[in-house]
């Protein structure tokens, strides 16, 4: 009887360097693998060539036609990273044109990262952005109809530019897509044959920026992906029955579907490896819980598989872009074989990655011109790599590797092997941090998992990382270098449909959910049948719902059992959500829950594929004939001679190999360390585990050296990872809007005496410990919000400081702490931030040490130490308004969450103490502190001038019509120490603009500013603080006497940023920035809804970042670290208001060689009666420009009283600091922040760039003249007229930037004389015209000030 032809599946994974192929015989499980260099110019060339070559390897098969070719590719990712996508036109709602320009206003990185960060260009440029008239409300109701005629006129202007693709993303389209559909019909007429992506199809979910950037990314990559896939499909039409494309979530998609929604394959490449692990390891062995490690040339991808299923998240990060599309939860770090190892001159600390040597020139040992040491070079130096790679096709030059690593050794003052092991140690620590992100951060204990290593470099580091994370056995699958292709070959077709479905769990009915799921199910089935070719009987369906506690931003996806829902109703979801929440965050709440999204998945039934098994070995050890060579390997400074290099292809099931040794194969190399053993299982996996007897012997033989530079570098990297975990967990689950959305929280890990060893706002602990007179015991938790009790470590009552000591036994080894902004702590106004309070007692509930809370958490019970019940006192701290019981619950949740969040940091420090041992642990901490001290000392020497430098700045007013309030600081240096003396600063205000400046915080500002320029990756700590003296006279606005009010302190806090820049930059241009958005203007809106529910909004506004020596300031951004704006759709959903404009203000950034960032404009329309409060400044003074740059524009706040007269409303100019402003339904607040000052001569700015910014709406035609630029009617540069104008303006200006460093836009007398005319507000009264009263008046220097200004003592 004739045998049927075997069925073959082919997986093809295209990477940047190599294209990997794996051919699978479904009937026998036999595989063939192949690697071929990629062809980046046209990836399909390598794909077709690789297919020819791998099919030729199959014996006895003259013509093989794979039933499917499943293809994973990085073409979508590369188009975004390399900015080689389409020219995309963007259609947005009128008033929201800058949605991609402001990017939720976030500057990534630490405190001073804005100085050097270069904001990427938007994927859809502003000059191709068109505003569509019409408005949908968040409940789907049409507020203003779509005006087709106006839109057509606007669109035609864009059509002249012939964009390659169009995106339509309108506000609240998730709730009602009708306006998007109308816009689509118009675009299709005006721009026929142009691909269009609409957000209600690509991502029909809440949050306008995320939906827009995801849809723009889809449009951006559509033409290139479409062309590539269609051409490849045509080329392979005769070679296969079906070409399918790997999605980011590990499923497959048809070519037609992938071409329409290419954003779903943005992380196609990394997904293949994880699906390969799920198929090969979880599907074929007893190991179901796995952590994957895919290490390539430039980066490492890690993921987690639970019970055989990869975890999926709803967003994808590519470079600086976060795209909301389902993807396997892969976390990527810049640690790969090509990661560069360097030693910055300033810090003398070893840095490994994220910069990479790339394929060209590559590592030094590749002999392609690379001279900087890489991780691969370090592996070669230590003997871990064979002489030949890729089956002999690639020769390594170990001498070149030695030369490169020796440079690192010389810079560090250590030996060659020590430097090589240090490079691997730092790189491994980076990967270890990523492994913890997908395990510990998600609520999983990595010891319950096995680590699976693959990729070209993963098996080299697998054993070392297994030791760090404790995930045994460490598994290296067969053909680890082509595992992604294996995953491509074995996965299945998938499709999903989702919709936003916002309902309170207590209000929704079973029928509501079933009806919505039924509609989604119908759509998913139809797509699977019509576009994927999968009949209904071959489909699996499953359901998912996103839930959260009301008040949270993050959601948790819960698998929805339809039958359980029918039987038990929606309450079945509560238990499932609580269990998942408790697993992730170790607590649950009694708070109400809400559904956010519903989702239906349709999948192809998994094919039954055999896995070929190895022959069973007759004895444990492999035959000696499988030893390729013997060589010397180096581990922990010791040389191990005559170590075998085994050929993996000779292994059989049951073989056991002991370390130290190396296992070589065509596409990867596995290192087995001393004290470990490797066993080969039946399908060829290498299972690495501890050989306990050998390990004990090995550890005895290890020398016990003191702390060295490498140990310190590894310790520093571990601290960096620990801090990242703290940030991520708290901002993910908190119920504080300020922390959750705007990330107004800061954490610290400190050594026992309170010195910060990682963080960014300085240690809170030193001031606390200097005042705390009680004992400190294991499991204590200290909570306070009183600035005066901790020397300003927290600066107002809304900031909660939570501190936990870390003990090992009875020994205190560290502290972990956090402070974050809570929306309300009681007081005289909603939000607890009165602008004109007389004392701190009007601001809320300050916790003095008499009622400072110190807690022991034990099985969920909160008690005072010694058994005294703390519930009453905790209630006092948490309570603020009986009208909002949800707020009490959210605050209690914050206390619980912060406890939970600092516990991993606590366990991390205990783990580090155990890992390094007590002696090395404390030596590493001392070395980190001393290293930081030396670094800052050297920067003081080079950047701080010998002669004193002084600078003044002001707060415009105090909320009571008095001002300006002066800050004076003189910086001087003597004998290597730097002094900042604030003598001359005005006395404390009787109002609430005072700022109790923590000395530690200010010192940290100084250190971070210096480090940000020279070594931004450095972990700044408190080690240098003894080199800085801070003198702040008591009784001044920066050192007020209790009980001075502090609730409006944000303006002085921000102004210190400008003062620092003004001081440091006068003699060191690399630190000179203009003034600008150094504040956080606050907006509060509160009242009762018509249904009786209380609402209270607290929002931070953003503005123009100052121009910098590194380039323009960012428009509408925040210079405070990691803060970002609240999504407007979120605000409209939960608060009774509508955002009618959210964009930047043209010309508000100061002109200069580098332009200051433009201000932010927001129009709030109020939908309920209530009260608003405002915190702002720079309404009279202007953010100064520097070195010839012009100042930025002022801020303004205008209330338009539409409720009084809708056709001719009264316009009321509001003060910058004002409480309890009554607003009526329909009124509009026009909120405008200030712009950043300019840097350098504006007449030296490129005229073409000015013209482009006019086209983008960032500069007006008239504003261009401030740069000396004249434009034609087409907005091009009129070269002759521009030259003439610039010549005239230069002559008239006659500015000498060497003597006129700062341009404030006029003296205070000049500004005040024009205040009413230019701002609509009268000038403030001088500070000395208001009699001083309070406890500070008895201080000698305050008495002298009073006498000088004619006030009686």
């Amino acid at each position: 009887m004739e045998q049927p032809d075997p069925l073959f599946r082919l997986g093809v994974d295209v990477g940047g360097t190599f294209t990997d192929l794996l051919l699978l015989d479904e009937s026998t499980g036999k595989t063939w693998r192949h690697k071929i260099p990629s062809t980046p110019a046209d990836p399909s060339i390598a794909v077709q060539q690789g297919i020819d070559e791998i099919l030729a390897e199959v014996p006895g098969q003259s013509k093989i036609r794979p039933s499917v070719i499943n293809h994973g590719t990085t073409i979508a990712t590369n188009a975004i990273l390399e900015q080689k996508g389409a020219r995309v036109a963007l259609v947005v709602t009128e008033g929201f044109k800058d949605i991609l320009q402001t990017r939720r206003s976030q500057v990534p990185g630490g405190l001073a990262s804005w100085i050097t960060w270069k904001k990427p260009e938007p994927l859809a440029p502003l000059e191709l952005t068109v505003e569509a008239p019409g408005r949908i409300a968040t409940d789907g109701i049409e507020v203003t109809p779509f005006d087709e005629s106006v839109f057509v006129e606007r669109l035609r202007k864009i059509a002249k530019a012939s964009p390659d693709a169009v995106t339509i993303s309108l506000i609240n389209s998730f709730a009602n897509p009708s306006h998007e559909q109308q816009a689509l019909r118009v675009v299709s007429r005006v721009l026929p044959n142009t691909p269009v992506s609409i957000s209600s199809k690509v991502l029909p979910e809440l949050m306008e920026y995320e939906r827009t950037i995801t849809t723009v990314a889809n449009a951006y990559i559509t033409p290139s992906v479409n062309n590539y896939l269609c051409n490849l499909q045509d080329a392979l039409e005769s070679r296969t029955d079906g070409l399918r494309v790997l999605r980011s979530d590990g499923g497959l998609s048809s070519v037609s579907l992938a071409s329409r929604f290419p954003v779903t394959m943005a992380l196609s490449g990394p997904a293949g490896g994880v699906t390969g692990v799920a198929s090969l390891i979880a599907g074929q062995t007893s190991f179901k819980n796995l952590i994957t490690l895919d290490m390539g040339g430039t980066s490492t991808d890690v993921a987690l598989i639970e019970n055989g299923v990869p975890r999926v998240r709803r967003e994808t990060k590519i470079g600086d872009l976060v795209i909301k599309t389902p993807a396997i939860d892969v976390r990527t770090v810049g640690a790969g074989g090509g990661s560069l190892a360097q030693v910055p001159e300033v810090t003398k600390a070893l840095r490994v990655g994220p910069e990479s040597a790339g394929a060209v020139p590559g590592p030094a040992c590749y002999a392609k011109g690379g001279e900087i040491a890489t991780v691969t070079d370090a592996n070669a130096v230590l003997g871990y790599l064979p002489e030949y790679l890729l089956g002999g096709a690639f020769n390594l030059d170990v001498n070149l590797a030695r030369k490169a690593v020796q440079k690192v050794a010389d810079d560090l003052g250590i030996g060659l092997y020590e430097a090589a092991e240090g490079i691997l140690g730092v790189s491994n620590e980076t990967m270890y941090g990523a492994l913890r992100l997908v395990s510990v951060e998600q609520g999983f204990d990595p010891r319950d998992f096995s680590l699976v290593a693959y990729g070209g470099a993963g098996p080299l580091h697998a054993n070392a990382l297994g030791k760090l994370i404790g995930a045994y056995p460490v598994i290296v699958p067969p053909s680890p270098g082509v595992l992604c292709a294996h995953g491509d070959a074995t996965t299945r077709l998938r499709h999903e449909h989702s919709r936003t479905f916002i309902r309170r769990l207590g209000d929704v009915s079973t029928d509501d959910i079933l009806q919505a799921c039924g509609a989604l199910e119908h759509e998913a089935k139809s797509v699977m049948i019509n576009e994927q070719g999968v009949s209904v009987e071959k489909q699996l369906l499953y359901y998912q719902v996103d839930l959260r506690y009301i008040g949270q931003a993050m959601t948790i996806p819960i698998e929805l059992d339809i039958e359980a829902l029918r039987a038990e109703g929606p309450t079945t979801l509560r238990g499932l959500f609580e269990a998942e929440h408790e697993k992730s965050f170790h607590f649950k709440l009694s708070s109400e829950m809400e559904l956010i999204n519903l989702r239906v998945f349709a999948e192809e039934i998994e094919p039954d594929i055999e896995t070929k098994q190895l022959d069973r070995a007759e004895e444990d050890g492999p035959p000696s004939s499988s030893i390729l060579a013997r060589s010397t390997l180096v581990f922990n400074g010791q040389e191990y001679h005559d170590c075998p290099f085994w050929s993996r292809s000779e292994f059989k099931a049951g073989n056991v190999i002991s370390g130290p040794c190396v296992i070589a194969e065509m596409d990867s190399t596995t290192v087995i360390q001393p004290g470990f053993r490797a066993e080969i299982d039946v399908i060829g996996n290498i299972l690495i585990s501890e050989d306990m007897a050998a390990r004990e012997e090995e550890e005895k033989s290890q020398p016990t050296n003191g702390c060295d530079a490498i140990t310190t570098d590894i310790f520093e990297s571990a601290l960096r990872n620990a801090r990242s975990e703290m940030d991520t967990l708290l901002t993910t689950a908190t119920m504080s809007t300020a922390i959750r959305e705007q990330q107004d929280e800061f954490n610290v890990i400190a050594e026992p005496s309170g010195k910060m060893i990682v963080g960014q706002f300085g240690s809170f602990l030193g001031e606390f410990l200097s005042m705390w007179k009680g004992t400190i015991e294991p499991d204590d938790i200290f909570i306070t919000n009183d600035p005066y009790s901790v020397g300003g470590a927290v600066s107002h009552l809304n900031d909660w400081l939570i501190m936990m000591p870390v003990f090992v036994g009875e020994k205190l080894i560290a502290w972990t702490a956090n402070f974050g902004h809570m929306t309300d702590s009681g007081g005289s106004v909603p939000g607890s931030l009165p602008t004109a309070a007389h004392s701190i007692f009007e601001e809320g509930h300050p916790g003095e040490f008499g009622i400072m809370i110190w807690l022991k958490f034990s099985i969920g019970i909160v008690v005072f130490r010694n058994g005294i019940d703390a519930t009453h006192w905790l209630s006092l701290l948490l309570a603020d308004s009986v009208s909002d019981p949800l707020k009490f619950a959210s605050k209690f949740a914050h206390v619980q969450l912060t406890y939970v969040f600092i516990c991993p940091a606590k366990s991390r420090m205990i783990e580090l103490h155990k890992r390094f041992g007590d002696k090395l642990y404390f030596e590493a901490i001392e070395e980190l502190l001393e290293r930081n001290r030396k670094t800052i000392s050297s920067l003081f020497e080079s950047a701080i001038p010998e002669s004193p430098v002084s600078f003044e700045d002001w707060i415009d007013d105090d909320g009571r019509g008095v001002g300006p309030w002066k800050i004076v600081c003189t910086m001087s240096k003597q004998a290597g120490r730097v002094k900042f003396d604030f003598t001359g600063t005005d006395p404390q205000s009787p109002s609430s603009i005072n700022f109790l400046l923590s000395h530690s915080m200010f010192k940290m500002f100084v250190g971070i500013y210096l480090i940000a320029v020279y070594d931004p990756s450095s972990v700044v700590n408190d080690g240098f603080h003894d080199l800085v003296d801070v003198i702040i006279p008591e009784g001044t606005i920066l050192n007020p006497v209790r009980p001075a009010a502090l609730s409006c302190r944000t303006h002085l806090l921000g102004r210190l940023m400008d003062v620092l820049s003004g001081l440091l930059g006068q003699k060191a241009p690399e630190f000179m920035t203009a003034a600008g958005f150094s504040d956080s203007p606050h907006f509060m809106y509160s009242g009762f809804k018509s249904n009786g529910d209380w609402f209270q909004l607290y929002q931070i506004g953003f503005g123009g970042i100052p121009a910098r020596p590194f380039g323009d300031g960012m428009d509408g951004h925040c210079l405070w670290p990691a803060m970002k704006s609240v999504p407007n759709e979120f605000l409209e959903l939960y608060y009774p208001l509508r955002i009618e404009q959210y964009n930047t203000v043209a010309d508000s950034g100061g002109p200069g060689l580098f332009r200051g960032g433009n201000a932010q404009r927001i129009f709030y329309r109020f939908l309920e009666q209530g009260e608003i409060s405002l915190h702002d400044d720079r309404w009279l003074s202007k953010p100064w420009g520097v070195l010839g740059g012009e100042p930025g524009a002022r801020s303004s706040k205008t209330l338009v009283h539409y409720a009084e007269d809708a056709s001719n409303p009264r316009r009321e100019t509001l003060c910058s600091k004002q409480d309890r402003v009554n607003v009526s339904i329909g009124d509009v607040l026009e909120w405008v922040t200030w712009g950043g000052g300019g840097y350098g001569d504006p007449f030296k700015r490129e005229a073409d760039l000015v013209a482009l910014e006019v086209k983008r709406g960032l500069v007006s035609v008239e504003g261009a003249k401030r740069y000396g630029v004249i434009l034609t009617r087409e907005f091009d540069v009129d070269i002759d007229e521009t030259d003439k104008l610039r010549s005239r303006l230069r002559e008239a200006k006659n500015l000498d930037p060497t003597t006129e460093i700062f341009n404030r836009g006029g003296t205070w007398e000049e500004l005040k004389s024009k205040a009413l005319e230019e701002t609509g507000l009268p000038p403030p009264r001088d500070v000395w015209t208001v009699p001083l009263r309070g406890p500070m008046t008895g201080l000698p220097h305050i008495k002298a000030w009073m006498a000088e200004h004619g006030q009686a003592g």
Side-chain angles (χ1 to χ4, degrees), residues 604-622:
E604 178 185 25
I605 293 176
E606 190 171 10
D608 186 16
I609 301 173
E610 292 288 334
T611 299
K612 184 173 175 59
Q613 297 189 352
L614 298 184
D615 294 335
R616 173 65 60 176
E618 296 180 0
E619 53 187 45
D620 288 350

Side-chain angles (χ1 to χ4, degrees), residues 199-255:
S199 73
S200 52
K201 287 292 185 182
V202 174
L203 184 69
E205 296 181 7
L206 181 77
M207 296 172 72
E208 72 279 358
Y209 170 74
E210 286 75 6
R211 191 172 63 253
T212 300
I213 188 60
T214 300
T215 312
V216 168
N218 193 74
Y220 186 76
I221 60 180
T222 289
S224 55
V225 170
N226 202 342
N227 290 340
Y228 170 72
L229 291 180
C230 289
N231 291 340
L232 184 61
Q233 186 175 41
D234 289 344
L236 299 178
E237 187 174 8
S238 62
R239 314 283 303 270
T240 181
D241 294 331
L243 173 64
R244 290 106 67 93
V245 184
L246 189 69
R247 296 159 41 109
S248 301
D249 63 2
L252 292 168
S253 177
S254 67
V255 169

